[in-house]
Amino acid sequence: MHTPTSSLESAEKTKEKNLAPSELKKLRNKQRKQRRKAELERLQAAQAQEKREQHNKSRQQTDPDLEQPTLDELIPEKLERAEDPLEQAIKFLLPLQELAANKIETHLMAFEIYIRKGRTLLMLRSINRAHRLEPNNPDLHSCLVRFLRHTSNSNLDGVVAEVVKRQCSGIFAGSSASQLNAEYLKKNSNSLAHLLQGARMLYLLDPTSQQRAISLATNLDPSLEGVNLENCTRVLEALRNGDFGLCEQAIADYTVKCHERFPYATAFRPPEAKPAQQSQLINHQDAKEPQQQQQPASNKY
């Protein structure tokens, strides 16, 4: 008994025998293309099935109902005090160096990280990049002075010493940290932002010059440029952070002077001024109430 499939195959063979050689060749080519197409579809289906199986397997592995290794909880206190803060900072720095290379803040941040890690060449690279952007930037000046101080206190030799010597010639021109800072203060004597950084470095290099450094940083002469709320707040923060050593009286005096200049700035408001101002506000409101009560009566006429 012949099956439908065998009957179809015999019919195809009979048809092929009756074809001309050219037509038979075309038929063979068509059949080969169909077989290749079918094989390709089979392979694609197998690959798709394999991907589905891998996806299902990964979903099973991440199923919350299954036992999973416990992850560290997002505890704010733990995140705030990382065991390796400098390494964590570098993770934030690297994308900034790629995406914000034209911002001097990126390279100043890099310097602050690398000076804490003692990476001399990376410090040098950071100040070189920053110097190309803003050579007279006040914050960059503090980096330059600290870099010179670092290299003078370190025993650099070999390739590192040669690279530092060659790369620094265009920035420092052979000056020492003290010479560089003295020239900087002289050149920028009319800018509070520059005086602040120069004064900070003056005290860092010579702690015996505390009084002169504080005098330079707390100068509020109207002829100075940049005597504004932002710069004055930075001066106060530097005083409180110990950048000029122990100077409680200087902090108190500067706070009073800045409060007179910026009476509404909370940064310079004395602690005892808050209750007094609140009582003045209450008295001022009480004085307004009788006038507000009498106002409707006056509107009748």
Side-chain angles (χ1 to χ4, degrees):
M1 182 177 179
H2 295 287
T3 62
T5 304
S6 60
S7 300
L8 182 61
E9 290 177 353
S10 60
E12 289 290 337
K13 291 180 180 179
T14 304
K15 182 179 178 181
E16 291 176 3
K17 290 179 180 179
N18 297 329
L19 291 175
S22 59
E23 294 295 330
L24 182 61
K25 184 177 180 180
K26 291 180 181 179
L27 179 62
R28 297 297 187 199
N29 290 336
K30 183 178 179 181
Q31 290 174 344
R32 281 195 293 270
K33 289 181 180 179
Q34 290 176 344
R35 285 195 295 270
R36 285 197 296 267
K37 183 179 179 181
E39 181 66 18
L40 180 60
E41 291 176 350
R42 187 185 65 79
L43 291 175
Q44 290 176 345
Q47 291 175 354
Q49 179 64 24
E50 184 179 357
K51 288 182 179 179
R52 283 194 295 269
E53 291 176 355
Q54 291 178 352
H55 177 68
N56 293 334
K57 185 177 180 180
S58 64
R59 287 185 61 186
Q60 291 176 357
Q61 291 176 348
T62 57
D63 192 334
D65 294 334
L66 300 177
E67 292 185 2
Q68 296 292 329
T70 57
L71 300 176
D72 291 339
E73 296 182 9
L74 297 178
I75 303 174
E77 292 77 9
K78 186 174 182 179
L79 295 174
E80 183 181 6
R81 291 185 289 273
E83 296 179 358
D84 53 347
L86 293 178
E87 295 300 326
Q88 296 299 323
I90 290 177
K91 291 181 181 179
F92 286 97
L93 173 65
L94 294 178
L96 289 176
Q97 289 178 322
E98 293 184 6
L99 303 175
N102 60 335
K103 300 289 186 180
I104 192 172
E105 292 81 4
T106 298
H107 309 298
L108 296 177
M109 181 193 304
F111 178 85
E112 296 297 341
I113 294 173
Y114 293 131
I115 193 173
R116 287 162 173 78
K117 292 179 69 68
R119 305 291 296 275
T120 302
L121 294 182
L122 292 176
M123 292 159 56
L124 178 60
R125 185 183 69 178
S126 301
I127 61 176
N128 272 330
R129 290 177 175 178
H131 191 268
R132 285 196 293 267
L133 294 173
E134 295 182 39
N136 200 41
N137 182 279
D139 295 321
L140 173 60
H141 173 69
S142 71
C143 297
L144 297 178
V145 172
R146 285 181 291 155
F147 179 76
L148 284 178
R149 185 168 177 263
H150 165 79
T151 54
S152 63
N153 294 335
S154 303
N155 294 323
L156 303 179
D157 53 9
V159 178
V160 175
E162 182 63 27
V163 171
V164 170
K165 181 180 179 180
R166 185 172 63 252
Q167 293 291 326
C168 289
S169 60
I171 299 178
F172 304 108
S175 300
S176 65
S178 298
Q179 291 171 340
L180 180 70
N181 195 55
E183 294 172 2
Y184 180 84
L185 284 171
K186 183 179 180 180
K187 178 182 176 182
N188 300 281
S189 59
N190 63 335
S191 169
L192 179 58
H194 293 78
L195 286 176
L196 170 60
Q197 297 304 330
R200 288 180 64 242
M201 295 302 101
L202 177 63
Y203 178 76
L204 178 68
L205 297 171
D206 181 15
T208 62
S209 61
Q210 182 190 41
Q211 291 303 319
R212 179 169 179 257
I214 292 175
S215 177
L216 288 170
T218 58
N219 188 0
L220 294 177
D221 193 299
S223 63
L224 287 178
E225 297 178 1
V227 182
N228 51 41
L229 179 59
E230 179 182 358
N231 286 330
C232 291
T233 302
R234 293 189 68 182
V235 172
L236 182 60
E237 290 175 351
L239 291 169
R240 287 175 172 170
N241 291 338
D243 293 354
F244 298 93
L246 186 63
C247 53
E248 294 298 328
Q249 188 58 47
I251 294 174
D253 295 342
Y254 187 71
T255 302
V256 171
K257 289 194 298 182
C258 288
H259 178 59
E260 294 175 355
R261 191 179 186 94
F262 307 102
Y264 300 107
T266 57
F268 309 115
R269 186 178 300 170
E272 63 275 7
K274 295 180 181 179
Q277 289 183 352
Q278 290 177 356
S279 62
Q280 290 177 2
L281 179 61
I282 293 173
N283 294 335
H284 183 64
Q285 291 176 344
D286 292 342
K288 280 187 174 182
E289 287 182 358
Q291 297 178 2
Q292 293 174 351
Q293 293 174 357
Q294 295 175 3
Q295 187 174 359
S298 62
N299 288 339
K300 292 181 180 179
Y301 299 96

